[in-house]
Amino acid sequence: MRHFTLLLLLFTTVLSYAQTGSVKGKLTDKEYNNEPLAFANVLIKGTTKGTTSDFDGLYELADLDAGTYTLIFSFVGYETQEIEITIIAGEVKELNVVMGASAASLDEVVITTTTKRESETALLLEQKNAVAIKQSIGAQELSRKGVSDAAGAVAKISGISKQEGSNSVYVRGLGDRYLNSTMNGLSLPSNDVNKKNIDLNLFSSDVIENVGVSKAYSARFYGDFSAGNIDITSKEYTGQGFFDVALGASVNSRAVGKTFLRNEGPGYVGDYARYNHNPFAVILSHGVDPIEAETPAINMGISLSGGKSFTFKDDSRLSLFVTASFDNSFSYREGLVADYTAGYNKLFPETEQYDYSTTSTAMATALYRINSDHKLKLSSLAINSSSDQVGFYGTGGNGILYDFSDEPSGYFQSNLQFNQDIVLVNQLIGEHKFDDKIAVEWGIGHNRVFAHEPDRKRFSLLGYDNLLDTDPNTVPSFDQNNNFNNQRYFQNIEDEELNSRLSLSYKPTETVKLIIGYDGKTRERHFDNIRYGYKNINTSTFGINSITNFNSIFNLQNFLDGVYQTHVFNPIDPINGVTQTNFPGNLENTYKGVQDIYAGYVSAEINLSEKWLVIPGVRVENFNQRIEYDAINLRPNDPGFSESSENFILPSLNVKYAITDDQNLRFAVSKTVSVPEFKEIAPFVYEGISYRIGGNQDLLGTRTGVNLTDKSYSDIYNLDLKYEWFISKSEVLSVGVFAKQINDPINLVLAADATGTQRYFRTGEKAEILGAEIELRKNLILNEDEDAILSSGFNFTYMHTEQDLYNSIEGSYGTSFNRDTDELEGASPIIVNADLSFKPTISENFKPAANLVFNYSSDRIFSLGSGDVGNVIEKAVPTLDFILKNKLGEKTEINFSAKNLLDPKVEMIRENTGDGDVLLSSFQRGITIGLQFKYNF
């Protein structure tokens, strides 16, 4: 009887199964090259039964009784589709659906089709499906963490740190010279003579859809790839129309309440109107004193953005997106600044530094979708950034100039400078699919950069303590030991670049995809500077009564009366007796740099099975670089130029193994190169208050000398291994290890000269990097809809670096080392990023989100010491920010932020000196409290 019952039960089950069927399929995104559409809803009409598509756009409804059903496919901002389907018992029906954006979205549901590429969930999907190791952070996460620019964005990604108080970004311990930056896959220019890459602080979150960092090399990247490629995807829009306004204000705890000082000449929005004037005319016509800022030290920000789509016949559509923003900030620093090489050169125990900075951004994007297979995108971006600095060094009267004494001598310096950078980026990009097998992508770009430092004013006093006492008979004097200790300085940089990319992909079978591509760019830079010194300053009649009243001395009448004289390095016409005194002059330093790169590559994506994806590739690149320079203090036999022409063959291999549907194992190996930048080659020296940094023409071309390898580039070998587990649509655990070997590395080193100048040298035969990364994003508390109420993110990187060092280096410049090995410049052994997010739903119209964000990077080398002089070290800096987003209904946001809550000291030291570790600089940035109001029309 028991056996009979068992057989009956089995028969009933089989019969029941035979009477049901199922439907499954794949949802794809018509707006995004028919990529999988994840997390769309699939519902049986008239019932509560349904499902959602997974990471790969796949869905399945099983155990459906035989019959006819209407399936509803929906995704926010997309056209809902109702499709009737007949289920036959025992059969699996396949139904694939292409989803497109809705042309009649409800006004209150303003969603861009690219929201998927802004959201954390979608970017995790992109990371999961990527053919190479890549991590991205999107606009949604930037907003949640209160990140205002691209530099802050990439610093939230594992293995990446940002130099505090500057725009320098380090990926796996490798800094500016080892990185590339692009926008929409096309190269970006640098806005700074001392940098290879553009300042990522200039890219406000208003123009960013997402920022991706590719840490593993593949053939589509330029060969000058060592640490990674940072790509900014500009925002675009597809929808019925929207208009946003955001207003914000904040105060810095150390700047608020100060009588803020600025330079005379620059405008409130970071403009300057004297570029067409001869510098000598500016000196005679305009004063040198700072002025009080016209507003209190309150940071202000405004941004406007809007978009609109127009649909035409044959399903073509034009979508426009425009954004413009302005932000300013006031910062104030107090602390110590020292210039120390083999011993102290200067020491300022007390300093004051005022900094007023602005960023104005405007971007327009036109996206024309001819049809689902052809798309054009035109982007134009304009950025104007400025920094207006007023610095007083030795304000307590205890400054020391060690040329005169080892005791406090009242040495004082003031430095007033304005920097303006204008960046123009124009791009046209096309994407075309001709059938399921052939696709073409192309892009052309034109970049211009105008970087100016007009009219820097620097003055040096002896006996400044006499100005602070009560004795009217004791007065300070100008330090006139050098004709340029008191000076006006003017510097200009102009960059122009044309770049292009083209790739053709062909799928001969379902398992093989072949890619052939071309990249090319030509770049040209022009640099010049001139300075005028003040000499023979007679203060017997016009005494120094205030450090903010030098105009009473340096004015046109006193110049005509001979109270002071001007001095220029290159007289304008020495043949006809024109001297260096009281005349305009020729440029002091100039250089012209030209760089041409042309490359072709071949790669393939080979699916060996459902689990194995192999991507081999090889890139052939022709590299040409030449720099022509005319700089002061060159050796008599210096030819005045340096050049190199190289051909690189760069193989790469990326392998992805899908352990399960949610787990990947990735492996990557490649050879890349690193080539020197213009600023590393040009022998021009930039002088700050406490440092001097110059280039080294020996880095490019073949020059004879001890330990010069006649190499104009560095060979780099890269190895990566990474495990990824996508726990859910918003959770991930990844663990990775990596290794790099850099042959003939370049480091910033203290040169062997009397001035304490730091220059770039090839310091040894090789450098090695070994590291490990771990990242975890985890939901801690979920609501009934499986959305996170409390979630956390954490990533940790550990790196061990070691490079060998030559005993001595000779050439145009020399240096030496008293050790055989050292750590690599710029590498923090430990990097930590963490965040905690709390997003409760208080009511339908009130959905706050509170975020606590923490960053830490351990000590790292800023520049190598030479001889018995130790390295310059940037000390570890932890930061903690709190951001509160308050969404009130569908149209209004009121947001609060408190940044740099720990307010740590930002310090640099010179280590292992005869006096122990010497403090070179120390200051605190202050806590910034801000409030923002945002409204959507």
Side-chain angles (χ1 to χ4, degrees), residues 47-105:
T47 73
T48 59
K49 186 171 183 177
T51 185
T52 58
S53 56
D54 65 10
F55 276 113
D56 299 311
L58 302 176
Y59 75 94
E60 183 176 10
L61 293 170
D63 299 329
L64 299 178
D65 293 334
T68 300
Y69 299 87
T70 299
L71 302 185
I72 303 174
F73 299 87
S74 64
F75 188 79
V76 178
Y78 281 58
E79 193 77 51
T80 298
Q81 296 190 43
E82 295 189 8
I83 300 176
E84 189 175 278
I85 187 171
T86 300
I87 299 297
I88 300 174
E91 291 187 5
V92 178
K93 196 83 170 182
E94 183 173 343
L95 178 60
N96 300 320
V97 180
V98 179
M99 303 286 287
S102 171
S105 299

Side-chain angles (χ1 to χ4, degrees), residues 326-330 355-359 386-388:
F326 170 78
D327 295 280
N328 65 8
S329 66
F330 294 86
D355 191 336
Y356 172 71
S357 60
T358 70
T359 302
S386 71
S387 174
D388 189 335

Side-chain angles (χ1 to χ4, degrees), residues 159-181:
I160 302 180
S161 60
K162 182 175 178 291
Q163 180 180 333
E164 200 58 40
S166 84
N167 64 345
S168 296
V169 171
Y170 296 87
V171 177
R172 291 175 166 177
L174 298 177
D176 176 70
R177 70 176 323 278
Y178 294 105
L179 301 176
N180 285 324
S181 53

Side-chain angles (χ1 to χ4, degrees), residues 343-454:
Y344 278 110
N345 302 311
K346 305 175 191 174
L347 175 60
F348 301 111
E350 296 167 293
T351 66
E352 290 184 290
Q353 300 173 61
Y354 302 84
D355 191 336
Y356 172 71
S357 60
T358 70
T359 302
S360 303
T361 304
M363 187 184 77
T365 299
L367 182 67
Y368 180 51
R369 194 189 72 173
I370 302 170
N371 52 45
S372 59
D373 293 327
H374 301 279
K375 182 192 298 184
L376 298 174
K377 179 179 179 179
L378 175 66
S379 296
S380 290
L381 173 69
I383 302 172
N384 178 74
S385 68
S386 71
S387 174
D388 189 335
Q389 298 177 333
V390 174
F392 299 130
Y393 303 84
T395 53
N398 298 316
I400 306 174
L401 178 64
Y402 283 82
D403 289 347
F404 290 92
S405 170
D406 291 345
E407 298 296 328
S409 55
Y411 189 60
F412 171 90
Q413 285 192 299
S414 64
N415 187 78
L416 288 71
Q417 72 181 66
F418 172 75
N419 292 79
Q420 182 183 19
D421 299 323
I422 301 171
V423 180
L424 306 174
V425 178
N426 293 285
Q427 299 180 340
L428 179 62
I429 295 170
E431 298 177 9
H432 310 277
K433 290 181 66 176
F434 295 98
D435 53 36
D436 292 336
K437 294 185 176 183
I438 300 175
V440 175
E441 295 185 9
W442 57 270
I444 54 175
H446 180 227
N447 305 324
R448 294 294 302 273
V449 175
F450 304 90
H452 304 289
E453 187 174 315

Side-chain angles (χ1 to χ4, degrees), residues 639-706:
F641 72 92
S642 195
E643 63 182 355
S644 175
S645 180
E646 307 287 349
N647 291 304
F648 305 129
I649 299 177
L650 307 172
S652 62
L653 176 66
N654 288 266
V655 179
K656 173 184 170 184
Y657 175 67
I659 303 171
T660 67
D661 289 342
D662 301 321
Q663 298 179 65
N664 292 328
L665 188 63
R666 298 181 181 273
F667 170 79
V669 61
S670 63
K671 178 188 176 183
T672 58
V673 295
S674 176
V675 297
E677 271 297 301
F678 293 141
K679 55 100 175 183
E680 296 175 334
I681 309 165
F684 157 75
V685 175
Y686 186 88
E687 297 185 33
I689 285 289
S690 60
Y691 64 89
R692 292 165 53 92
I693 296 180
N696 182 354
Q697 57 268 40
D698 294 346
L699 297 180
L700 194 66
T702 57
R703 293 173 180 260
T704 59
V706 177

Side-chain angles (χ1 to χ4, degrees), residues 50 75 154 221 390 599 768 842 893:
F75 188 79
V154 297
F221 293 113
V390 174
E768 294 178 339
I842 306 300
E893 280 187 36

Side-chain angles (χ1 to χ4, degrees), residues 27 29 31 37-42 52-53 72-81 99-117 119 140 237-240 729 787 847 887 890:
L27 303 184
D29 186 353
E31 310 301 326
L37 183 62
F39 316 122
N41 296 313
V42 183
T52 58
S53 56
I72 303 174
F73 299 87
S74 64
F75 188 79
V76 178
Y78 281 58
E79 193 77 51
T80 298
Q81 296 190 43
M99 303 286 287
S102 171
S105 299
L106 296 176
D107 289 341
E108 63 270 20
V109 183
V110 181
I111 296 291
T112 71
T113 62
T114 56
T115 296
K116 302 195 314 343
R117 287 182 285 169
S119 72
Q140 185 183 93
Y237 176 79
T238 302
Q240 187 175 3
K729 66 180 182 180
D787 293 324
K847 301 175 182 178
K887 191 170 183 180
E890 294 294 335

